[in-house]
């Protein structure tokens, strides 16, 4: 009996030792896995560590393939957009010369004929000149020699000093001086040297479309009514022809030339009215930005900076704003009163103030009215 008890106790002790040994091995294995996990996490963190990393950087990294696709599509479709602008503008001009101008010369008084000829051709010249200059003029880029370049920050794409108001264009893959945005309708960036051409093109194109819409309103109503009459008579003609023989079918009521004329007038008015609304809103937006002395990119930057300083009880002032009137004079390059005629109302290839690398007080501004930062 005692021998059985001793044997049972020995078996139980052996079983407990095995359990303890298995538990130790299991704990040791778990500890090794944890050590490997922490070691791998430390290696990965050391390879990817960046003190500037935040949520925005992570999102930019995740959306980088989408940005790459959009940039390349915009780059290649820029040529298509430019051809579309030229084609639509040429079609409107052709309709005006072929269809409307003979009608104007036959029905309008000499005073109105002179007005339409003078204003129409002046507006057309301004549109063509500023669009050509906007697509062919470089917006300006920082120089390659970085020794004498005053940089406010470092471009993380170019890894080079970036002057004030300069931003990197992912489509052009270069830094642009005083960058406003990349315009696919120009297939070019809007920057320091072609910003005035871009805005002037938008302004004169809007004026031209409004002029065509207002001047052609009566013609549009007559042409639209004529087209509706064509559809009605065509329907009646087909109903009559269905009950008659082939030789008794009546001839068409309207000729091909009349159909083309009425449809061209409707096309011109609808296109000009649509462009006037869309481009007019864009022109007003950029006019407000010019009045405040900032670009499209700077608007977002200044708004965030204004909110940040407001929380600290400070007031942000735009360092590149000289007042509404002086901002327009600086933007248009008006130094003396006669420049309003020679540089604004007439085609002028004059350069903007400054080089885009530094922003000194322009000569047309008598005094700097606003401090850089009011605290």
């Amino acid at each position: 009996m005692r021998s059985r008890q001793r044997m049972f106790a020995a078996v139980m002790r052996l079983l407990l030792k095995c359990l303890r040994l298995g538990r130790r091995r299991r704990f040791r294995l778990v500890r090794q896995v944890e050590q490997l996990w922490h070691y791998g996490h430390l290696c990965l963190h050391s390879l990817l560590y960046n003190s500037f990393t935040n949520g925005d950087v992570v999102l930019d990294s995740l959306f980088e393939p989408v940005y790459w696709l959009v940039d390349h599509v915009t780059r290649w479709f820029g040529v298509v957009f430019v051809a579309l602008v030229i084609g639509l503008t040429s079609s409107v001009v052709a309709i005006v010369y072929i269809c409307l101008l003979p009608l104007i010369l036959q029905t309008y008084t000499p005073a109105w004929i002179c007005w339409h000829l003078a204003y129409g051709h002046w507006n057309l010249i301004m549109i063509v000149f500023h669009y050509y200059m906007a697509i062919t003029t470089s917006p300006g880029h920082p120089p390659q020699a970085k020794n004498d370049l005053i940089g406010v920050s470092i471009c993380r794409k170019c890894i080079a000093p970036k002057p004030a108001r300069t931003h990197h264009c992912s489509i052009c893959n270069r830094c642009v001086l005083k960058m406003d945005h990349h315009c696919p309708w120009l297939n070019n960036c809007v920057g320091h040297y072609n910003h005035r051409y871009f805005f002037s093109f938008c302004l004169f194109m809007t004026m031209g479309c409004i002029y065509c819409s207002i001047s052609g309103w009566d013609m549009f109503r007559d042409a639209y009514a004529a087209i509706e009459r064509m559809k009605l008579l065509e329907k009646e003609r087909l109903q009559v022809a269905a009950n008659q023989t082939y030789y008794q079918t009546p001839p068409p009521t309207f000729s091909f030339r009349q159909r083309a004329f009425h449809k061209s007038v409707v096309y011109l008015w609808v296109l000009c009215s649509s462009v006037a609304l869309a481009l007019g809103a864009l022109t007003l937006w950029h006019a407000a930005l010019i009045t405040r002395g900032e670009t499209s990119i700077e608007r977002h930057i200044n708004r965030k900076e204004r909110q940040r300083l407001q929380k600290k009880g400070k007031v942000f002032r735009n360092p590149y704003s000289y007042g509404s009137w002086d901002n327009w004079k600086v933007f248009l390059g008006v130094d003396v009163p006669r420049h309003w005629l020679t540089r604004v109302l007439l085609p002028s290839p004059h350069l903007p103030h400054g080089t885009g690398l530094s922003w000194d007080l322009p000569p047309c501004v008598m005094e700097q009215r606003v401090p850089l930062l009011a605290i």
Side-chain angles (χ1 to χ4, degrees):
M1 187 67 181
R2 290 181 179 177
S3 61
R4 289 182 180 179
Q5 291 178 353
R6 290 175 183 174
M7 186 180 297
F8 180 75
V11 171
M12 292 301 294
R13 284 195 297 269
L14 180 61
L15 181 60
L16 290 174
K17 287 182 180 179
C18 292
L19 290 174
R20 290 195 192 103
L21 182 62
R23 188 180 300 172
R24 289 176 183 175
R25 288 181 178 176
R26 187 166 61 251
F27 287 159
R28 191 180 304 164
L29 180 61
V30 172
R31 192 179 301 112
Q32 290 177 354
V33 171
E34 289 179 354
Q35 290 177 353
L36 289 175
W37 169 259
H38 289 302
Y39 178 74
H41 184 267
L42 179 62
C43 291
L44 183 64
H45 188 68
S46 63
L47 291 174
L48 301 178
Y49 176 75
N50 188 341
S51 60
F52 296 101
T53 301
N54 52 26
D56 294 337
V57 176
V58 174
L59 287 177
D60 288 343
S61 301
L62 293 176
F63 281 93
E64 191 66 29
V66 179
Y67 297 151
W68 181 88
L69 179 63
V70 172
D71 293 344
H72 281 71
V73 169
T74 305
R75 186 180 305 166
W76 287 107
F77 270 82
V79 180
V80 178
F81 290 154
V82 171
L84 188 62
V85 171
I86 297 174
L88 293 177
T89 306
S90 301
S91 65
V92 170
V93 174
I95 291 173
V96 170
Y97 274 102
I98 296 175
C99 300
L100 301 186
L101 187 58
L103 188 62
I104 290 174
L105 296 177
Q106 294 175 4
T107 58
Y108 283 29
T109 61
W112 277 109
I113 291 175
C114 293
W115 155 254
H116 284 293
L117 290 177
Y119 179 82
H121 286 89
W122 170 78
N123 204 341
L124 178 62
I125 291 173
M126 298 297 285
I127 291 173
V128 174
F129 171 79
H130 287 102
Y131 187 71
Y132 174 79
M133 295 298 293
I135 62 178
T136 57
T137 302
S138 173
H141 307 282
Q144 297 297 326
K146 305 179 181 65
N147 296 329
D148 300 331
L149 182 61
I150 301 176
V152 175
S153 61
I154 300 296
C155 178
R156 65 178 183 176
K157 298 293 183 64
C158 300
I159 315 299
K162 188 166 63 173
R165 312 187 80 177
T166 299
H167 300 279
H168 186 89
C169 177
S170 57
I171 299 175
C172 299
N173 199 23
R174 294 187 67 179
C175 282
V176 178
L177 300 176
K178 192 193 170 187
M179 179 180 175
D180 188 90
H181 68 287
H182 185 94
C183 182
W185 299 101
L186 301 180
N187 195 26
N188 195 7
C189 266
V190 177
H192 179 61
Y193 289 104
N194 64 347
H195 194 182
R196 180 178 65 87
Y197 298 131
F198 164 76
F199 177 78
S200 298
F201 163 72
C202 293
L203 176 63
F204 289 112
M205 178 63 82
T206 303
M207 292 171 57
C209 291
I210 294 175
Y211 162 73
C212 290
S213 299
I214 295 176
S215 301
W217 170 245
D218 293 334
M219 298 181 186
F220 165 74
R221 289 192 306 175
D222 295 340
Y224 186 79
I227 291 176
E228 292 298 323
R229 258 194 332 271
M230 289 180 196
K231 294 180 181 179
L232 182 61
L233 292 176
E234 182 70 17
K235 184 177 180 180
E236 294 177 354
R237 189 180 68 85
L238 292 177
Q239 291 177 353
V240 172
N243 300 325
Q244 295 178 351
T245 61
Y246 175 79
Y247 297 101
Q248 295 175 334
T249 301
T253 308
F254 293 91
S255 64
F256 173 79
R257 184 174 180 179
Q258 291 174 327
R259 293 171 183 269
F261 174 82
H262 294 310
K263 291 181 179 180
S264 298
V265 172
V266 173
Y267 162 79
L268 180 142
W269 192 89
V270 172
L271 178 61
C272 289
S273 300
S274 303
V275 173
L277 290 175
L279 196 59
L282 180 64
T283 304
L284 291 176
W285 164 256
H286 279 277
L289 293 177
I290 295 169
T291 305
R292 294 195 296 262
E294 57 187 12
T295 62
S296 300
I297 298 177
E298 290 173 352
R299 176 186 178 274
H300 300 286
I301 298 175
N302 294 344
R303 183 179 59 180
K304 292 182 179 179
E305 188 67 13
R306 189 178 295 108
Q307 293 174 355
R308 185 184 70 84
L309 292 176
Q310 187 177 4
K311 294 179 181 179
K312 296 182 178 182
K314 301 178 181 179
V315 180
F316 172 77
R317 299 296 184 218
N318 184 7
Y320 309 110
S321 178
Y322 310 105
S324 301
W325 182 249
D326 287 335
N327 286 337
W328 279 101
K329 290 170 63 178
V330 172
F331 177 79
L332 298 173
V334 177
D335 298 328
V336 293
R338 70 171 181 272
H339 286 166
W340 289 104
L341 174 63
T342 58
R343 293 187 174 185
V344 179
L345 298 181
L346 294 177
S348 175
H350 66 277
L351 297 176
H353 290 296
T355 61
L357 302 176
S358 60
W359 299 95
D360 300 327
L361 193 65
C364 60
V365 179
M366 300 303 298
E367 59 180 0
Q368 191 168 8
R369 301 176 181 177
V370 182
L372 295 183
L373 182 62
I375 300 177

